């Protein structure tokens, strides 16, 4: 992936609600993988979820799930039952020939 | 099990100086990648080390160099510092070049 677009610079969601963060990317590869990372205000980058491009089944990790549309080069993240601790920058990060390419990020605020 | 560690946590240098940042990977990991994250932006890939060799490199000048030691720890060196080198420098480790990367807390570099 040479470019990654996260079209929502900032988002907010009420606690316990569901929110979806969007991501599109550009790649000429067929076999690659994609990540969502979160970076809370403390700045430690934390892995949220991983998806292999060859898998048709969307990855799920507890309250986090993805909608991976390979043909459309779209990789959105859904957060269910949002919690205050979900407040962070979220980065979409597909790989490109084993290099991880980060998007510009979406700042998510969870409102009590 | 210790995660990825980086030192120092903060550093202040002046233009033209040289700096060395250090990273110890997570136990069991043999691959180290370095990223530069400017304020408000996503991380940019600098390079990746595997088996003590630079395996991949991003679009960074030769002023940025690195090294990996036999114990898999790594150093990032930046020569002739510029004001624009001020950033958070992130180290990530993985168990192989195509595996999930886990990040350290970063080193905040300020160039005056």
């Amino acid at each position: 992936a040479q470019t990654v677009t996260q079209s929502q610079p900032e988002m907010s969601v009420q606690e316990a609600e569901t929110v979806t963060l969007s991501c599109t990317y550009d790649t000429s590869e067929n076999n690659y993988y994609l990540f969502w990372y979160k970076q809370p205000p403390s700045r430690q980058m934390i892995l949220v979820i991983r998806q292999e491009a060859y898998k048709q089944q969307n990855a799920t990790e507890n309250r986090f799930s993805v909608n991976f549309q390979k043909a459309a080069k779209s990789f959105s993240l859904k957060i269910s039952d949002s919690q205050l601790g979900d407040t962070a920058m979220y980065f979409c990060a597909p790989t490109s020939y084993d290099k991880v390419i980060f998007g510009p990020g979406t700042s998510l605020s969870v409102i009590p | 099990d210790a995660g990825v560690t980086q030192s120092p946590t903060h550093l202040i240098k002046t233009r033209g100086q040289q700096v060395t940042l250090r990273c110890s990977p997570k136990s069991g990991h043999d691959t180290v990648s370095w990223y530069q994250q400017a304020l408000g932006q996503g991380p940019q890939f600098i390079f990746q080390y595997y088996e003590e060799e630079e395996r991949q490199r991003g679009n960074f000048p030769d002023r940025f160099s690195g090294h990996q030691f036999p114990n898999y720890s790594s150093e990032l060196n930046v020569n002739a510092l510029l004001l624009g080198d001020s950033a958070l420098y992130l180290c990530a480790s993985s168990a192989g070049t195509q595996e999930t990367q886990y990040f350290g807390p970063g080193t905040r570099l300020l160039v005056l």
Side-chain angles (χ1 to χ4, degrees):
Chain A
Q2 299 300 315
T3 59
V4 183
T5 301
Q6 294 182 248
S7 59
Q8 306 143 316
E10 295 182 1
M11 296 188 72
S12 62
V13 62
Q14 291 286 336
E15 195 175 5
E17 296 296 309
T18 296
V19 64
T20 299
L21 283 59
S22 65
C23 171
T24 57
Y25 58 93
D26 176 34
T27 184
S28 57
E29 294 180 73
N30 190 47
N31 293 320
Y32 54 95
Y33 39 105
L34 310 97
F35 303 101
W36 278 96
Y37 283 93
K38 67 181 279 190
Q39 191 176 40
S42 66
R43 291 197 169 270
Q44 179 92 35
M45 191 77 75
I46 301 167
L47 175 70
V48 175
I49 199 163
R50 168 181 169 139
Q51 172 80 44
E52 277 74 16
Y54 69 87
K55 289 186 178 179
Q56 293 186 342
Q57 184 174 7
N58 289 323
T60 298
E61 192 70 42
N62 299 318
R63 298 182 295 107
F64 300 88
S65 62
V66 299
N67 183 2
F68 176 49
Q69 303 290 328
K70 189 174 181 179
K73 296 177 184 175
S74 170
F75 183 58
S76 62
L77 174 70
K78 185 171 81 170
I79 305 174
S80 303
D81 185 25
S82 295
Q83 301 176 0
L84 296 179
D86 294 334
T87 292
M89 283 290 291
Y90 286 80
F91 294 99
C92 173
T95 61
S96 174
Y97 299 101
D98 297 335
K99 292 186 293 187
V100 180
I101 309 298
F102 283 82
T106 294
S107 178
L108 177 68
S109 297
V110 179
I111 302 168
Chain B
D1 177 25
V4 180
T5 60
Q6 293 186 244
S7 63
T9 56
H10 295 83
L11 205 51
I12 300 175
K13 292 286 188 179
T14 56
R15 281 180 299 173
Q17 285 189 312
Q18 179 264 344
V19 68
T20 297
L21 309 182
R22 295 175 176 83
C23 172
S24 291
K26 184 178 170 65
S27 178
H29 288 186
D30 58 4
T31 302
V32 174
S33 301
W34 286 92
Y35 296 82
Q36 180 194 67
Q37 187 178 20
L39 196 62
Q41 298 182 20
Q44 300 293 312
F45 175 78
I46 303 175
F47 43 53
Q48 183 182 79
Y49 276 85
Y50 174 67
E51 293 187 340
E52 301 182 49
E53 291 189 357
E54 184 182 288
R55 184 177 176 276
Q56 292 265 13
R57 189 176 182 92
N59 189 25
F60 279 80
D62 291 344
R63 298 187 298 110
F64 290 77
S65 64
H67 187 77
Q68 186 178 36
F69 299 94
N71 67 352
Y72 307 121
S73 66
S74 178
E75 289 182 349
L76 164 66
N77 301 293
V78 187
N79 295 322
L81 284 167
L82 304 174
L83 296 180
D85 295 331
S86 295
L88 180 69
Y89 287 85
L90 296 169
C91 169
S93 74
S94 57
T97 58
Q98 297 187 12
E99 297 301 317
T100 299
Q101 296 183 14
Y102 294 88
F103 284 80
T107 294
R108 169 68 67 186
L109 173 64
L110 178 61
V111 182
L112 301 176

